[in-house]
């Protein structure tokens, strides 16, 4: 047994915990977008309630990282692993909060059939955001800088969709003032999705910092 | 010391005798030399060739075969089992070489057996319709089958030895398997998986602990069955019941309302009474139609309908149906025409059921075509049969609804359909009738431009000749 056995083991556990949290966040984003599109209030309520679990997991992981630094006093890359752990789960927690924001919007929009036209952008943005979370975590687990960069490039697509959606929603509002409330909520939703993608690029930056020790702005 | 007879049997006497003889000669020479009967040079002259002979014999008989055996054993250890040792002699070394040959053969057979077994297992796993994941006792992935690879968008070789979360990235799946691993009890649960595909799928996971002999805890094997379709069916059934109840209740509520009004005194006024009764009659008719349709559909679905099979003149059937709808179309301002060549191949079937198919299709076409539009019924010969089309210039069907229009109670626009008196089972009936005749049914549509429903009927062998 290597003298670093305990340390290696807790690092592996930390990684598993982060993956667990990421899978929950990915699911929350999916459910939030899905329940918005289907106007499914129960689904939205589940997303809101599920956030507590993600928050608890976040605190747990943060505690583990702090304990790791305090008891093992890691150096260089090992230290960066612990620090990156904190950064990534912080980003994930923010994403989950945005998923909750989307679910809240769903609640507010319940019972009003959509009359605006640019709905198809939302699932597209949701899909991209989830893909970014997934690939960001893949990059983290495999310490894959290349993958982290590729993932961050997806952010441009999300930004593009956000810009288009913004233009079209504003157009909708100008055309038909009755859609203003709905369009305003959907504007928020697209903004939340865009923020989720931004948090995903933070994960990518954290991975690059983990592997190379460099700080690189990828957004 | 007692020597067992087997001891002598096991010895090969030839080499023993020859070595014994050589040693005897050396002893004799030593004796002669010791008693000065032999000069050193003479002794050397005798001993040198003898020693050379002895060394040569030793080399050929012992060292060379042993070296070969050592090399062979080495290559066996490296996994090359194809090497066959040459057997030089029938002595112990020959025996050793033979044993090694036997051992290599045995190993080869065992390995073939094991790899055959493994290939068979792999083939079974690969051909399974369910997903399979196996984990070792540490929770690391041992194997996944192609279904899992497809669902989660991963590559099987890449996930071996990785943590489950790295592979499936789904919290619920992980939790089920971890629970089975920790408790060593089977776990069954339904989970929703948002995998590589765009749609979420529902799986029922059976996670079973692997009991390995002599170990406290083994791994876990999980079988994931895709129950998305079944869930959808369940959903459809629930919707069906809800729809039927709703459709039944609407005319009933109206009947009840008018009845109550009549009882409360409206019956005294003959005009009102008559008007109400007229409405009630319409509602009753609608109710009857709905129940008839439902019974009809369930009969066709259960294939209980007695088909009166006979040669059908499709030309006549189309014209009859079209003339049936002429008044309705004219009233709506829709042009209705039939383009049917006279020399169509004969088909075999139930004329009433085929008329029902056309009635439903033409009825829909006229209903969903605004004034000024056009509905055309066409029939033409096709390879091996007949193709009938009903084309309209109506509102069309959005592409996402196209695959579902033949489902019972599926309606593209519920409100509008109900307004037009539809209950959403006409097309389901059409589908079942066409299928019962061995034909195919389909639809093409562009929203805003119109729809084209078509069905095919196989030619009647007897009359087409």
């Amino acid at each position: 047994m290597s003298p670093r056995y305990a340390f290696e083991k807790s690092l592996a556990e930390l990684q598993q915990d982060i993956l667990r949290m990421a899978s929950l966040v990915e699911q929350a984003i999916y459910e939030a977008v899905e329940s918005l599109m289907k106007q499914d209030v129960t689904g939205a309520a589940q997303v809101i309630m599920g956030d507590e679990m993600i928050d608890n997991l976040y605190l747990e992981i943060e505690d583990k990282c702090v304990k790791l630094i305090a008891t093992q006093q890691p150096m260089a890359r090992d230290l960066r692993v612990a620090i990156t752990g904190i950064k990534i789960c912080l980003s994930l927690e923010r994403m989950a909060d945005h998923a909750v924001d989307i679910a809240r919007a769903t609640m507010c929009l319940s019972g009003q059939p959509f009359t605006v036209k640019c709905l198809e952008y939302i699932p597209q943005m949701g899909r991209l955001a989830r893909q970014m979370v997934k690939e960001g975590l893949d990059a983290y687990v495999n310490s894959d800088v290349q993958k982290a960069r590729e993932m961050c490039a997806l952010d441009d697509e999300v930004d593009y969709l956000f810009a288009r959606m913004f233009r079209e929603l504003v157009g909708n509002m100008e055309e038909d003032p009755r859609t203003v409330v709905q369009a305003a909520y959907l504007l928020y939703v697209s903004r939340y999705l865009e923020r989720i993608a931004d948090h995903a690029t933070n994960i990518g930056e954290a991975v690059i910092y983990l592997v190379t020790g460099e700080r690189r702005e990828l957004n | 010391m007692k020597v067992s007879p087997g001891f002598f049997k096991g010895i090969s006497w030839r080499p023993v005798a020859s070595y014994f003889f050589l040693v005897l000669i050396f002893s004799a020479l030593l004796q002669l030399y010791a008693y000065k009967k032999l000069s050193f040079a003479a002794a050397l002259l005798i001993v040198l060739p003898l020693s050379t002979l002895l060394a040569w014999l030793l080399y050929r008989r012992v060292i060379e075969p042993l070296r070969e055996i050592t090399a062979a054993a080495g290559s066996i250890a490296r996994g090359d089992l194809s090497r066959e040792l040459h057997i030089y002699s029938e002595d112990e070394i020959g025996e050793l070489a033979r044993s090694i040959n036997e051992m290599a053969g045995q190993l080869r057979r065992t390995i073939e057996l094991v790899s055959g077994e493994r290939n068979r297992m792999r083939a079974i796993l690969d051909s399974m319709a369910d997903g399979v994941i196996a984990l070792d006792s540490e929770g690391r992935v041992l194997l996944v089958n192609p279904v899992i690879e497809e669902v989660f968008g991963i590559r099987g070789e890449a996930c071996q030895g990785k943590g489950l979360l790295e592979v499936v990235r789904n919290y619920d799946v992980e939790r089920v398997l971890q629970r089975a691993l920790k408790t060593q009890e089977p776990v069954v649960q339904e989970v929703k998986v948002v995998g590589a595909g765009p749609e979420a799928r529902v799986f029922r996971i059976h996670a079973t602990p692997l009991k390995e002999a002599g170990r406290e805890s083994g791994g876990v094997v999980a079988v994931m069955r895709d129950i998305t379709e079944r869930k959808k069916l369940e959903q459809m059934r629930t919707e069906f019941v809800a729809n039927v109840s709703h459709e039944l209740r609407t005319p009933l509520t109206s009947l009840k309302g008018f009845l109550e009004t009549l009882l409360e005194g409206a019956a005294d006024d003959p005009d009102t009474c008559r008007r109400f009764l007229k409405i009630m009659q319409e509602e009753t008719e609608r109710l009857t139609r709905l129940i008839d349709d439902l019974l009809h559909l369930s009969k066709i679905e259960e294939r209980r309908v007695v088909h009166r099979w006979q040669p059908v003149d499709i030309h006549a059937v189309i014209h009859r149906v079209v003339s049936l709808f002429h008044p309705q179309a004219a009233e709506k301002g829709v042009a209705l025409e039939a383009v049917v060549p006279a020399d169509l191949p004969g088909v075999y079937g139930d004329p009433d059921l085929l008329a029902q198919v056309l009635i439903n299709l033409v009825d829909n076409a006229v209903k969903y075509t605004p004034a000024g539009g056009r509905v055309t019924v066409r029939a033409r010969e096709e390879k091996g049969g007949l193709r009938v089309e009903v084309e309209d210039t109506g509102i069309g069907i959005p592409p996402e609804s196209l695959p579902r229009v033949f489902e019972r109670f599926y309606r593209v626009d519920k409100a509008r359909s109900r307004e037009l008196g539809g209950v959403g089972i006409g097309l389901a009936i059409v589908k079942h009738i066409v299928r019962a005749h061995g034909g195919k049914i389909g639809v093409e549509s562009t929203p805003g431009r119109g729809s084209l429903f078509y069905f095919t009927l196989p030619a009647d062998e007897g009359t087409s000749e």
Side-chain angles (χ1 to χ4, degrees), chain A residues 12 15-16 19-20 22-24 26-27 30-31 34 53 57 127 130 133-135 137-138 141-142, chain B residues 140 152-154 162-167 169-172 174-175 178 192-195 197-200:
Chain A
Q15 214 167 55
Q16 289 301 307
L19 280 174
R20 202 165 287 142
S23 67
L24 276 175
E26 227 182 285
Q27 187 113 7
Y30 175 82
E31 297 288 349
E34 190 75 1
M53 193 157 149
L57 210 49
R127 218 166 16 247
R130 276 192 296 124
V133 179
K134 182 168 188 300
E135 291 186 1
L137 268 293
D138 281 344
V141 172
N142 301 319
Chain B
R140 306 205 161 273
F152 293 101
I154 46 172
K162 284 194 176 168
L164 180 61
L165 272 171
E166 284 171 57
V167 176
R169 205 61 70 71
N170 182 298
Y171 181 79
D172 292 327
E174 198 239 352
R175 210 176 41 177
Q178 287 293 348
K192 191 163 158 191
V193 173
V194 190
E199 289 275 312

Side-chain angles (χ1 to χ4, degrees), chain A residues 35-215:
Chain A
S35 55
L36 173 75
M37 298 313 290
K38 289 192 179 149
Q39 300 223 306
D40 169 11
V41 180
T42 355
Q46 270 167 5
V47 173
I48 296 172
M49 287 188 300
D51 189 50
E52 197 186 328
M53 193 157 149
I54 296 177
D55 286 347
N56 289 341
L57 210 49
Y58 162 64
L59 294 176
E60 211 176 286
I61 295 172
E62 203 186 51
D63 280 350
K64 272 187 187 165
C65 289
V66 170
K67 208 172 274 171
L68 206 65
I69 296 171
T71 57
Q72 306 281 338
Q73 307 196 346
M75 305 287 278
R77 196 195 144 97
D78 293 339
L79 178 62
R80 290 204 298 273
V81 170
I83 302 280
T84 318
I86 296 181
K87 279 189 186 177
I88 288 180
C89 64
L90 184 64
S91 292
L92 287 172
E93 198 270 336
R94 289 271 166 78
M95 290 182 195
D97 286 347
H98 287 314
V100 168
D101 292 334
I102 295 172
R104 291 231 168 85
T106 307
M107 302 283 235
C108 298
L109 283 170
S110 82
Q112 313 170 29
F114 289 124
T115 47
V116 292
K117 285 178 201 131
C118 45
L119 282 173
E120 69 277 9
Y121 294 126
I122 293 177
Q124 275 180 40
M125 286 173 85
R127 218 166 16 247
L128 279 171
R130 276 192 296 124
Q131 191 186 343
M132 287 177 78
V133 179
K134 182 168 188 300
E135 291 186 1
L137 268 293
D138 281 344
Y140 170 65
V141 172
N142 301 319
S143 298
D144 188 340
V145 174
Q146 182 59 31
K147 183 141 205 172
R149 291 220 172 87
E150 281 169 22
M151 179 274 282
C152 291
L154 288 177
D155 188 47
D156 293 343
E157 280 180 51
V158 178
D159 288 346
Y160 170 75
L161 286 175
F162 172 62
R164 282 198 67 166
M165 179 132 187
F166 181 85
R167 270 203 307 278
E168 291 195 21
L169 280 172
V170 170
N172 263 317
M173 289 197 238
E174 283 169 351
E175 255 171 47
D176 184 357
R178 278 171 302 176
T179 62
V180 165
V181 175
Q182 199 172 91
Y185 275 117
L186 292 177
L187 216 50
Y188 273 132
V189 168
S190 57
R191 177 71 181 157
Y192 296 141
L193 286 170
E194 192 265 339
R195 289 301 301 157
I196 289 176
D198 285 348
H199 285 302
T201 61
N202 287 347
I203 293 182
E205 284 163 18
V207 171
I208 291 172
Y209 170 70
L210 165 70
V211 180
T212 63
E214 286 169 29
R215 286 161 195 283

